[in-house]
Amino acid sequence: MKQTLKKKILALAITTFAVFSFSTAQAEEMVKLNGAGATFPYPLYSKWFSDYNKVNPNVQINYQSIGSGGGIQQLKSGTVDFGASDAPLSEEEEKGMPAPVVQIPAVGGAVVVVYNLPGVASGLKLSADVVADLFLGKIKSWNDARVTSQNPGVNLPNTPVAVIHRSDGSGTTYIFSDYLAKVSSDFFYKVGRGKSINWPVGIGGKGNEGVTGQVKQIPGAIGYVEYAYALNNKLSFAAIKNKAGKFVEASPANSAAAFAAMTKELQKDSRTSVTDAPGENSYPISGLTYLMVYKKAKDVTKGKAFVDFLKWAMTTGQTQAVALQYAPLSAELVKINEGNIASISP
């Protein structure tokens, strides 16, 4: 009897120890990755990180949508494991980083020109030069002849134009200003391109969310936000006249057309700007957004976990893009990325 009891106690002790050891091992294997940066891809990244955790429960990826400038700064200071930006690092920024950085185009999308005009819910058309002059403050009223001539049959009101722009360092601003600097020499010389620029007119809003909120509140407002934010917040946005002379609305397919038109340039350098791309169906304010990580990881476990995630993002992740209004990468660009991912040393 006593012997049987001893055996039961021993068996229970062994089982308890095994469960404890297994739980401890699980805790040790849990990898938490922290990232920060662009608001542009935030809706897609949120899904990616959540879905990746479901198939890899021991990898948890936390992401702060603080703007591209903030993401680059946090990567530089070492407070995050990866950064995210809609603007690739300039040569000067790369030199200022503490170690070599690998920049991976994650997905593509569009920046749209949003507006709040009572009675004009849709159908507004704007040429490149008119968009530039609206944001330069040169066109002051919505019934200006330059706007009305492009929109016959649209009853544009005598309402002052209220420009809304980003107040924080922003990759969305980079894409938009890069486009305007290409299509308007006046904008190029007076304002230029960058994540943070000195807008000659307007009110600032923080993040795509801030600009969206301001546009919704102010009749006559015009601003720029990421395409998915415009859709999710039911904002009106304009069709933009592209390089081929066609008015084109933003869509994943029309952004993909812009990337396809720039394939040769992207194969030479995946950081190439794709704004104002040629092609009849190309949406002209399209851009790529980048995930950035140090080539040599400080933490081997974290480095390997992030490389594995990047491989997933280039395959399964790309299939989720269109449903969330982003443009998936072309097969050619995915192949380039795979080579860059292989260069990361965990």
Side-chain angles (χ1 to χ4, degrees), residues 302-320:
K302 285 188 174 186
K304 184 179 183 307
F306 195 65
V307 165
D308 289 342
F309 164 73
L310 287 172
K311 291 176 180 177
W312 178 92
M314 292 302 106
T315 52
T316 303
Q318 293 302 307
T319 66
Q320 299 175 348

Side-chain angles (χ1 to χ4, degrees), residues 40 68 86-88 109-115 126-137 142 161-184 187-188 191-203 208 211 215 221-227 237-241 250 273-276 283-288:
F40 180 100
S68 296
D86 307 323
V111 175
V112 294
V113 177
V114 294
Y115 62 90
L126 298 173
S127 62
D129 60 314
V130 166
V131 174
D133 285 352
L134 282 164
F135 281 86
L136 283 168
W142 279 105
V161 174
V163 172
I164 312 296
H165 56 75
R166 288 285 288 272
S167 60
D168 53 328
S170 156
T172 307
T173 295
Y174 176 82
I175 293 171
F176 189 55
S177 64
D178 178 62
Y179 166 71
L180 294 179
K182 284 182 180 179
V183 301
S184 167
F187 192 93
F188 175 79
V191 183
R193 58 170 62 86
K195 293 184 290 294
S196 294
I197 57 179
N198 292 319
W199 293 96
V201 293
I203 303 168
N208 279 300
V211 172
V215 170
I222 185 171
Y224 59 94
V225 300
E226 193 273 323
Y227 176 58
F237 54 88
I240 307 298
K241 196 172 187 179
S273 163
V274 294
T275 58
D276 198 33
Y283 179 70
I285 322 178
S286 296
L288 295 166

